[in-house]
């Protein structure tokens, strides 16, 4: 089976000149676009149907046009309008419809040259944060791989900005795939021992047999033990298609990997997934962990979650620990593993020896 053409290829930059075709959601939206064309004296593209707004884009004017469109349309109209930008004068055909996207995505993509450069030049690296045994915090159980990126000036790009813009610009598939391969390559380079937790967003994998093929091939080529890798579902509360997520996790398990759910306790939906998904590990949402030593209700809820997971043969990781007092409560609650700045911040190289005694982060 061939690798995924979407995940394994970085989109080319938009052409400097061409035709923009817009399919508005309502006649009212279409009227607003036509009024803008008249006011700005924008040329009409050829071969346009009556219900399509077709705009000829002169060299270097696409960004200006998109800015004008977002100025006259509401946020919902920008999201619901479908767009296709073509670098030729021919009428869109059946082969082009797979490239139609929300206008909001086209706007974000046109404003994301910095992100495309990062992806094309692979200016990415994995940092590792240790996860320790609760009953022996000097002994690493594993590490979570966390993606880091640099812009053209050498400044680090905030991970949240990186993934948010990738989602908006329609390149989350590509970023998620690069994050997975980056983590595997770094684990092989440092001969990582223990478990390797690799984050993934379920919506970035539409068919695991295709989308994960490059990752699986790399794991085997580099000689990384599949049982060492734990694929961790992030943004659990945003999962809308349980059948799709179940299929992805089943594919991971069939291929010898472990799976984890992140942010358990942050909302009801993640808890309701446990009977069907039965992950090997869960991570308790840090909102429950912070100040757990000061708020009895947090301790009570966390204890119930831990007991329930142990009854289901699921191991529990508490993340976000920053103080000795939080650690003491979690050990009493019988959490299996601990993670947080108290044991170490993410760093380029994983821990290969016994950890130094933990320290509380400076205020």
């Amino acid at each position: 089976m061939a690798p995924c053409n979407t995940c394994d290829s970085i989109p080319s930059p938009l052409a400097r000149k061409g035709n923009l075709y817009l399919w508005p959601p309502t006649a009212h939206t279409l009227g607003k676009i036509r009024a803008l064309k008249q006011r700005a004296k924008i040329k009409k593209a050829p071969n346009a149907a009556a219900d399509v707004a077709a705009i000829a884009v002169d060299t270097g004017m696409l960004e200006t046009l998109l800015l004008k469109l977002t100025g006259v349309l509401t946020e919902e109209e920008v999201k619901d309008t479908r767009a296709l930008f073509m670098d030729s004068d021919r009428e869109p055909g059946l082969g082009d419809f797979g490239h139609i996207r929300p206008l909001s995505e086209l706007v974000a993509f046109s404003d994301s040259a910095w992100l495309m450069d990062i992806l094309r030049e692979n200016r990415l690296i994995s940092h590792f944060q240790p996860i320790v045994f609760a009953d022996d915090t000097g002994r690493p159980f594993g590490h979570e791989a966390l993606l880091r990126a640099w812009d053209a000036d050498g400044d680090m790009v905030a991970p949240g900005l990186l993934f948010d813009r990738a989602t908006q610009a329609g390149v989350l598939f590509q970023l998620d795939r690069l994050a997975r391969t980056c983590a595997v390559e770094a684990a092989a380079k440092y001969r990582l021992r223990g478990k390797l937790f690799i984050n993934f967003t379920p919506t970035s994998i539409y068919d695991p047999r295709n989308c994960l093929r490059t990752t699986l091939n790399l794991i085997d080529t580099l000689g990384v033990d599949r049982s060492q890798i734990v694929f961790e579902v992030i943004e659990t509360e945003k999962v809308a298609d349980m059948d799709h997520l179940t299929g992805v996790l089943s594919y991971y398990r069939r291929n010898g990997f472990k799976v984890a759910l992140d942010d358990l306790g942050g909302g009801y939906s993640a808890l309701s997934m446990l009977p069907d998904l039965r992950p090997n590990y869960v991570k308790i949402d840090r909102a429950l962990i912070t100040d757990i030593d000061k708020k009895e209700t947090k301790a009570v809820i966390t204890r119930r979650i831990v007991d329930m997971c142990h009854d289901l043969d699921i191991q529990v990781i508490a993340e976000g620990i920053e103080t000795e007092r939080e650690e003491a409560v979690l050990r009493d609650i019988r959490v299996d593993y601990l993670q947080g700045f108290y044991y170490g911040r993410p760093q380029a190289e994983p821990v290969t020896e016994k950890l130094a005694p933990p320290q509380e982060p400076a205020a």
Side-chain angles (χ1 to χ4, degrees):
M1 185 181 296
C4 175
N5 290 331
T6 298
C7 300
D8 293 342
S9 61
I10 309 302
S12 301
L14 294 170
R16 298 272 296 163
K17 180 180 179 180
N19 294 315
L20 177 63
Y21 294 90
L22 301 173
W23 288 264
T26 65
H28 177 68
T29 305
L30 179 61
K32 291 167 74 173
I33 296 173
R34 285 176 172 167
L36 170 66
K37 289 171 63 178
Q38 289 181 341
R39 289 197 307 272
K41 298 181 179 180
I42 298 172
K43 293 186 295 183
K44 177 181 176 182
N47 305 320
D51 59 347
V52 178
I55 302 171
V57 181
D58 291 331
T59 302
M61 294 303 295
L62 179 60
E63 290 78 8
T64 300
L65 173 60
L66 294 175
L67 183 63
K68 290 180 178 179
L69 285 168
T70 56
V72 299
L73 302 180
T74 66
E75 185 176 336
E76 286 301 312
E77 287 175 318
V78 175
K79 186 184 302 182
D80 293 340
T81 296
R82 293 298 178 259
L84 175 66
F85 184 68
M86 300 178 62
D87 60 359
S88 68
D89 287 336
R90 64 180 177 81
E91 186 176 0
L94 289 176
D96 300 308
F97 287 108
H99 300 289
I100 294 175
R101 62 176 90 177
L103 177 58
S104 57
E105 185 177 303
L106 180 64
V107 171
F109 183 84
S110 72
D111 192 36
S112 300
W114 60 271
L115 173 60
M116 298 303 114
D117 289 342
I118 287 174
L119 300 184
R120 292 191 192 97
E121 298 172 16
N122 200 19
R123 296 201 300 268
L124 302 165
I125 187 174
S126 283
H127 280 194
F128 297 93
Q129 185 173 33
I131 301 169
V132 301
F133 287 89
D135 58 2
D136 183 1
T137 56
R139 187 159 60 104
F141 165 70
H143 292 79
E144 180 178 357
L146 299 164
L147 191 66
R148 299 291 184 263
W150 284 267
D151 63 20
D153 296 324
D155 297 322
M156 184 174 290
V157 179
L161 172 62
L162 192 69
F163 280 92
D164 286 348
R165 179 52 65 91
T167 300
Q168 296 163 3
V171 292
L172 183 61
F173 293 102
Q174 293 85 347
L175 179 60
D176 212 61
R177 193 268 299 175
L178 287 172
R180 294 193 301 270
T181 57
C182 187
V184 172
E185 289 171 345
K189 174 182 176 181
Y190 293 112
R191 298 183 180 180
L192 184 77
R193 290 179 291 180
K195 299 296 184 185
L196 172 64
F197 285 72
I198 301 177
N199 296 326
F200 82 97
T201 308
T203 53
S204 70
I205 299 170
Y206 60 86
D207 182 350
R209 293 172 301 172
N210 290 331
C211 296
L212 300 175
R213 193 164 191 78
T214 299
T215 305
L216 267 61
N217 288 343
L218 180 65
I219 289 169
D220 293 339
T221 299
L222 296 179
V224 178
D225 187 346
R226 291 190 179 191
S227 67
Q228 193 178 352
I229 295 179
V230 182
F231 284 103
E232 179 179 335
V233 183
I234 62 173
E235 298 187 341
T236 308
E237 290 298 316
K238 297 181 181 179
V239 173
D241 189 340
M242 271 293 296
D243 290 338
H244 174 69
L245 178 57
T246 301
V248 173
L249 297 189
S250 296
Y251 181 84
Y252 278 135
R253 287 196 186 92
R254 288 197 305 272
N255 283 276
F257 303 104
K258 305 295 184 184
V259 297
L261 290 185
D262 194 19
D263 297 336
L264 192 70
Y268 174 75
S269 64
L271 286 171
S272 68
M273 293 177 183
L274 290 181
D276 294 323
L277 299 181
R278 301 295 291 269
N280 303 99
Y281 307 94
V282 298
K283 286 191 172 183
I284 298 179
D285 189 88
R286 67 176 301 154
L288 280 175
I289 303 303
T290 301
D291 293 332
I292 193 172
D293 57 303
K294 301 174 184 176
K295 299 182 179 179
E296 179 64 21
T297 53
K298 289 189 174 185
V300 170
I301 293 170
T302 302
R303 187 184 298 275
R304 297 293 183 270
I305 291 175
V306 172
D307 289 344
M308 176 184 61
C309 288
H310 286 169
D311 288 343
L312 295 172
D313 198 27
I314 299 170
Q315 293 186 297
V316 181
I317 302 166
E319 58 181 347
I321 299 149
E322 296 194 1
T323 71
E324 182 180 5
R325 296 178 299 281
E326 290 171 348
E327 177 194 272
V329 173
L330 292 164
R331 292 178 68 172
D332 180 66
I333 287 173
R334 295 188 306 116
V335 165
D336 299 290
Y337 310 104
L338 306 169
Q339 179 182 358
F341 287 171
Y342 189 52
Y343 311 104
R345 293 178 179 271
Q347 55 188 16
E349 295 188 23
V351 175
T352 57
E353 301 175 350
K354 194 173 181 67
L355 285 167
Q359 294 183 341
E360 296 187 10

